[in-house]
Amino acid sequence: MRQAGRYLPEYRDLRASTPGFIEFCLDPEKAAEATLQPMRRFGFDAAIVFADILLIPCALGQKVWFEAGEGPRLGALPSVESMRELASGAGQALSEVGQTLSIVRAALEPERTLIGFAGAPWTVATYMLDGEARSIGKGERAAAREFYYRDREHVTAVLDVLVESTAHYLKMQADAGAQVLKIFESWAEGLPDDLFDRLVLAPHQKLVARVRELGVTVPLIGFPRGSAAVAERYARSCEVQAVALDTACPLDVGRRVQAIKPIQGALDPLLLRAGGDALDRRVDDLMDAWGQGPWIFNLGHGILPDVPIAHVERVLTRLGAQ
């Protein structure tokens, strides 16, 4: 998953060379090296490009920075009109990510897949709206959701801009060598049914359609994290080629989704960090439940920076013995 090498000492050494995280993501040579480091160590079947879901706001004119120990911070939300003017140029504005992909694709063996990704419109919007939503006095996702209740038209307009800009960003990635594209909806959880349809499902449907209109033919993976209750409906209603599942998705739900289209997931990153016999049992349970169908073995969310390398090796050994 994203930032896949951050538990590696060689990544920490590389990361220390550039203080700003956004600047690091937009350095093609360094981002390519971060992408390739775990591939060299472990020989994974696929690499996911080192980037961040908050590069799109940068392309739309919003200031983004990371505070040490606190995470991302965003400046004032630009006007919808100004963002609309920049939306179709998002791919060009973030061309450094394309350069990263090209470097990685040239370095990878032909049989290994290169995955590109972008944050889904609602997830990116929750961060972009946070500056304006602070006045409501709630936490980030709750504030964005209440913002929608208070001003549905404005939030919908922001989501439409994000659909367009993200489509061009994903097209650029495909043109640069990405063979699969993943849509990360990190904050799909906790939404009532009607809001899931409006804020997650509908923007995903629009985004997939727009990406195809732009001529992109590579497979798409949708990841509506925290939405196991509607995962089957999502799989049937959204024209992605695979559905990624989070750590809380029951095994039987995964089987039902798998009957519709391929799945990805869903080992708990906390269990990977804990290790031991419990880790072995969960790997076996996942293999027993999903291993006979179309499935990409993966974590159910991003890897933690303090995961012991030996635990990753243990999972790979376990899988190899199956």
Side-chain angles (χ1 to χ4, degrees):
M1 304 292 268
R2 293 160 299 156
Q3 302 179 24
R6 61 184 178 168
Y7 57 102
L8 300 178
E10 57 265 38
Y11 167 77
R12 290 191 286 273
D13 291 343
L14 178 68
R15 177 69 186 88
S17 67
T18 305
F21 183 67
I22 296 295
E23 291 75 15
F24 183 77
C25 290
L26 294 178
D27 185 316
E29 295 289 341
K30 292 179 180 179
E33 176 62 17
T35 304
L36 289 166
Q37 284 174 345
M39 301 297 289
R40 296 193 193 105
R41 261 194 188 259
F42 304 112
F44 294 136
D45 295 323
I48 187 160
V49 66
F50 189 95
D52 193 81
I53 63 171
L54 294 181
L55 296 182
I56 283 286
C58 297
L60 295 175
Q62 189 171 21
K63 183 180 179 181
V64 181
W65 72 99
F66 282 72
E67 295 285 353
E70 296 183 18
R73 294 291 181 267
L74 283 78
L77 183 71
S79 70
V80 172
E81 292 73 19
S82 68
M83 291 192 293
R84 281 196 188 110
E85 292 178 358
L86 296 171
S88 64
Q92 182 176 358
L94 300 174
S95 61
E96 294 90 345
V97 177
Q99 295 172 43
T100 299
L101 285 158
S102 295
I103 294 170
V104 174
R105 183 62 270 167
L108 285 177
E109 298 89 341
E111 64 272 16
R112 297 199 195 181
T113 302
L114 178 57
I115 306 172
F117 75 91
W122 169 243
T123 289
V124 176
T126 65
Y127 294 96
M128 295 181 72
L129 294 168
D130 187 38
E132 293 193 15
R134 285 183 197 279
S135 61
I136 300 171
K138 299 287 174 64
E140 189 172 64
R141 274 83 66 195
R145 192 161 80 219
E146 189 169 347
F147 196 118
Y148 176 81
Y149 284 131
R150 291 173 180 267
D151 194 346
R152 175 176 172 178
E153 183 177 343
H154 183 69
V155 174
T156 299
V158 172
L159 290 173
D160 287 342
V161 169
L162 286 168
V163 166
E164 182 68 10
S165 57
T166 305
H168 285 275
Y169 179 47
L170 291 174
K171 173 179 168 49
M172 177 274 290
Q173 293 189 45
D175 290 344
Q179 297 157 292
V180 180
L181 297 168
K182 188 168 182 178
I183 303 167
F184 275 91
E185 189 73 85
S186 298
W187 302 125
E189 61 185 341
L191 295 174
D193 280 358
D194 59 334
L195 258 63
F196 180 85
D197 288 348
R198 297 175 197 166
L199 301 177
V200 174
L201 181 56
H204 283 221
Q205 291 169 326
K206 292 177 182 177
L207 177 57
V208 170
R210 186 67 179 120
V211 166
R212 298 308 186 203
E213 285 177 0
L214 294 174
V216 176
T217 60
V218 303
L220 297 169
I221 302 172
F223 181 35
R225 177 176 173 260
S227 59
V230 292
E232 291 173 82
R233 181 157 62 86
Y234 176 89
R236 290 192 177 94
S237 302
C238 189
E239 293 298 321
V240 292
Q241 281 62 62
V243 177
L245 305 173
D246 62 75
T247 58
C249 184
L251 295 178
D252 63 326
V253 172
R255 280 193 292 266
R256 295 199 298 270
V257 175
Q258 194 179 45
I260 303 168
K261 55 185 57 171
I263 58 173
Q264 182 186 37
L267 186 68
D268 188 349
L270 289 170
L271 181 54
L272 183 63
R273 184 170 67 183
D277 293 341
L279 176 61
D280 293 342
R281 287 194 298 272
R282 185 58 176 174
V283 171
D284 291 346
D285 288 345
L286 287 166
M287 289 294 292
D288 289 344
W290 300 343
Q292 303 308 307
W295 173 40
I296 304 165
F297 184 94
N298 199 206
L299 294 176
H301 204 231
I303 196 165
L304 299 166
D306 54 350
V307 165
I309 292 171
H311 294 184
V312 178
E313 294 170 338
R314 181 172 184 149
V315 169
L316 295 175
T317 299
R318 195 80 179 180
L319 290 171
Q322 295 284 338

